[in-house]
Amino acid sequence: MNEFQIIDSVMPDLPPSSADQLAAARERVFAGPTTPPVRAGRRSWTGTALVAAAVALVVGAVVVLVPRPAAEPAAVTPMQKLQAAAAELAATPEAKGRYWRRDTEQVQRTKNGDGYEVEERAREVLAFGPDREVYGWHEPISSKPYTAEGLKTWRQDGSPKLCPARGCDKNMPAYSSKDLDVGLELADGLKPPLKELRNLPKEPAALRARLLESYNPRVTETGREPWLQGAAARLISSPATPGTRAAAYLLLANAPGIKVVDAVPGTFGLDGLALQSKEGQIVIDRRTGQLLGRQWLTPGGVAWRAELVRKAGWSDVRPVPPAKCVRCTTRL
């Protein structure tokens, strides 16, 4: 092979050598008055050795100039993302106030009595105040078809009013929340006062041990692990401290039958990390660690019901139930 063709092949970005350059290079390499005569029976490798050396230098230079491929960054697992989110939540300072309040939007898809496939929405409020005050109410918002075909049929039928929705029951526009009955109950046999709830451990192992102190198989039909998971799940959306709620995330993440996933069906707009069980998902903000909501899944993985957290925290504003809301306040 022509030695300059070799050089050209390893340096494809260089312009090809001209005929004059090739001739001059050959003369410099092979010609010379001081070259000793070749003895009989031996071949001269001087020219070939020089060419090989030149090629080696060029190849070496090319290798040095070509950047090495960057190392692929290690993939961050969903569990590592959850751990980071939990640490962020635990470090979040709490607002001060006399009342703790949680506002959620309840959404579910079902088939109503008129045969329409509808999406029902309602507002749910639960709040705790000093002197064992509790507030809680459920207020229907809307009910309408959610598929294009169903919406078309509904309009062809004259857009009849679908209930439950605002205005369906003028005598009871809002009614007491189902959560009002359980108050701070986390599980069967575990209903700590607000002060005790606020003092629960902020480390997963210690939190697990403290919760299990209240497990009594004689007052619950579930086994110990399902009971513990239920308590931790309710703790996440309670007035517990950010550190305790973060510990509950990690407790659940390591529980049997639960996995951490980073892709949730966005049927109801939830987008975040999820603690997933066979029943559904607890969805958490990747950046702040705040609870975004929950959603329930069909066996095929389709979200059909959700609870979206709209607001949660402490303030000095006393909750005021809607007018005509019966039994929407009580005391623990």
Side-chain angles (χ1 to χ4, degrees):
M1 175 185 281
N2 185 302
E3 60 274 11
F4 285 93
Q5 291 177 345
I6 298 175
I7 296 173
D8 287 342
S9 69
V10 297
M11 295 187 68
D13 293 333
L14 294 178
S17 303
S18 66
D20 292 340
Q21 290 173 323
L22 289 172
R26 284 194 181 94
E27 184 176 353
R28 287 195 301 271
V29 173
F30 292 108
T34 57
T35 302
V38 180
R39 294 184 181 179
R42 295 181 60 185
R43 298 177 60 188
S44 173
W45 294 92
T46 305
T48 304
L50 288 173
V51 171
V55 171
L57 288 173
V58 171
V59 172
V62 171
V63 171
V64 171
L65 291 174
V66 174
R68 294 185 179 183
E72 289 291 334
V76 181
T77 66
M79 175 60 89
Q80 290 171 328
K81 292 180 182 180
L82 177 68
Q83 291 169 340
E88 191 67 30
L89 174 62
T92 302
E94 279 190 296
K96 302 297 181 182
R98 300 175 65 226
Y99 300 93
W100 180 88
R101 173 171 170 166
R102 182 189 70 217
D103 287 54
T104 61
E105 187 172 351
Q106 309 287 327
V107 190
Q108 70 173 357
R109 290 181 170 178
T110 184
K111 196 168 186 176
N112 74 350
D114 298 320
Y116 298 106
E117 290 184 328
V118 299
E119 182 176 280
E120 299 175 0
R121 289 182 176 263
R123 181 189 184 200
E124 185 94 21
V125 175
L126 182 66
F128 300 94
D131 301 323
R132 301 171 63 198
E133 299 167 317
V134 189
Y135 309 79
W137 64 88
H138 183 94
E139 185 179 7
I141 297 175
S142 65
S143 183
K144 63 181 181 180
Y146 62 90
T147 65
E149 183 179 351
L151 193 60
K152 181 180 178 180
T153 303
W154 176 68
R155 286 171 177 164
Q156 289 173 346
D157 292 343
S159 303
K161 187 172 184 61
L162 303 177
C163 292
R166 283 195 177 104
C168 284
D169 188 345
K170 299 185 182 303
N171 296 317
M172 190 179 288
Y175 47 92
S176 60
S177 166
K178 60 183 183 300
D179 283 341
L180 193 62
D181 299 329
V182 296
L184 296 173
E185 184 176 1
L186 300 178
D188 293 336
L190 178 57
K191 189 176 182 179
L194 184 58
K195 184 176 180 180
E196 183 178 326
L197 179 79
R198 300 278 298 166
N199 287 323
L200 286 174
K202 300 174 177 60
E203 193 276 325
L207 178 62
R208 175 187 172 88
R210 178 71 66 82
L211 294 177
L212 285 176
E213 288 176 3
S214 298
Y215 174 69
N216 184 348
R218 291 174 294 183
V219 299
T220 181
E221 296 180 357
T222 62
R224 190 175 74 158
E225 288 302 320
W227 179 92
L228 178 64
Q229 291 179 26
R234 286 190 62 86
L235 187 60
I236 284 171
S237 57
S238 77
T241 64
T244 297
R245 287 183 279 126
Y249 286 162
L250 300 178
L251 190 160
L252 280 173
N254 291 286
I258 293 182
K259 63 179 180 179
V260 183
V261 299
D262 194 18
V264 300
T267 306
F268 302 110
L270 289 172
D271 179 18
L273 294 166
L275 293 164
Q276 180 170 303
S277 66
K278 62 181 181 179
E279 290 84 14
Q281 298 170 321
I282 296 172
V283 187
I284 301 156
D285 187 89
R286 299 180 184 88
R287 184 178 60 85
T288 66
Q290 296 291 346
L291 176 66
L292 296 178
R294 305 166 190 259
Q295 58 186 8
W296 287 259
L297 308 176
T298 66
V302 177
W304 67 277
R305 178 184 164 205
E307 179 183 76
L308 315 177
V309 178
R310 297 307 188 193
K311 181 174 62 176
W314 295 87
S315 77
D316 285 321
V317 179
R318 180 180 178 273
V320 179
K324 299 183 180 180
C325 190
V326 180
R327 293 186 295 276
C328 293
T329 62
T330 187
R331 290 184 183 274
L332 291 174

